[in-house]
Amino acid sequence: MKIIIGGDSAGQPLVKAIADYLSTRDDVSFEDCSPSGDTSGERYASTSERAAMAIREGRAERGILCCGTGLGVSISANKIPGIRAALTHDTYSAERAAKSNNAQIITMGARVIGPELAKAIVEKYLDSEFDPKSSSGPNVEAIDALDRKYSPGAF
Ligand code: RB5
């Protein structure tokens, strides 16, 4: 599975921990789209856009984004039509983000949780799959219908 990860400067402690965890799994490859070099002018919305576009363009199947709270990167990623990004600070939510919401991206805050919980959340998320034939199927279809209704030129 191809994964895109990234975060702003506040999110870097979790981005690094997640990169370390992903490096231990031979069933995934990953790329970090965090800003490099001088990050003073970088906005977390740009990092979210890079990750979301990697998913939209098929260069990644899942994304994991981090900022201070996980909120800014989540709100930003959800602005990209077709993207379902979910804030997950516990393993149950991570499982449901995949199984109930077919979220292509999860987000976390480095000022909210520590690296070990973040790794457990990532593990649960990556090991959970959406079943379009499940009772959640029509709900995800309804989410995507909102995108088509309000961003009609984006598909
Ligand atoms: C940056 O200071 C902080 O606001 C950002 O990382 C994030 O938490 C915003 O939602």
Side-chain angles (χ1 to χ4, degrees):
M1 183 189 294
K2 289 184 184 168
I3 299 168
I4 186 97
I5 66 174
D8 67 358
S9 56
Q12 286 308 305
L14 287 192
V15 173
K16 287 178 174 47
I18 290 163
D20 287 347
Y21 168 70
L22 293 176
S23 299
T24 69
R25 288 183 60 142
D26 55 15
D27 60 337
V28 304
S29 60
F30 70 95
E31 185 185 333
D32 186 349
C33 69
S34 302
S36 57
D38 177 11
T39 59
S40 55
E42 175 76 9
R43 299 288 167 240
Y44 53 74
S46 303
T47 305
S48 290
E49 182 182 18
R50 286 194 290 276
M53 291 311 294
I55 287 168
R56 270 192 62 134
E57 293 169 358
R59 289 179 280 115
E61 292 150 71
R62 300 266 185 113
I64 303 162
L65 292 170
C66 304
C67 60
T69 60
L71 294 166
V73 285
S74 176
I75 291 167
S76 305
N78 279 309
K79 296 291 182 188
I80 309 299
I83 294 300
R84 297 174 298 278
L87 177 70
T88 54
H89 282 144
D90 62 273
T91 55
Y92 178 69
S93 298
E95 180 180 2
R96 296 322 310 179
K99 290 185 175 177
S100 297
N101 312 116
N102 197 14
Q104 308 103 322
I105 294 176
I106 59 167
T107 74
M108 290 172 273
R111 295 173 181 164
V112 182
I113 61 169
E116 294 309 315
L117 178 54
K119 290 181 204 174
I121 287 168
V122 169
E123 180 176 40
K124 181 62 81 174
Y125 172 59
L126 296 182
D127 292 343
S128 301
E129 285 288 334
F130 179 68
D131 177 1
K133 294 192 179 71
S134 71
S135 60
S136 297
N139 280 317
V140 173
E141 282 174 21
I143 294 172
D144 291 344
L146 290 176
D147 263 337
R148 289 192 295 275
K149 181 176 179 181
Y150 293 102
S151 304
F155 293 92

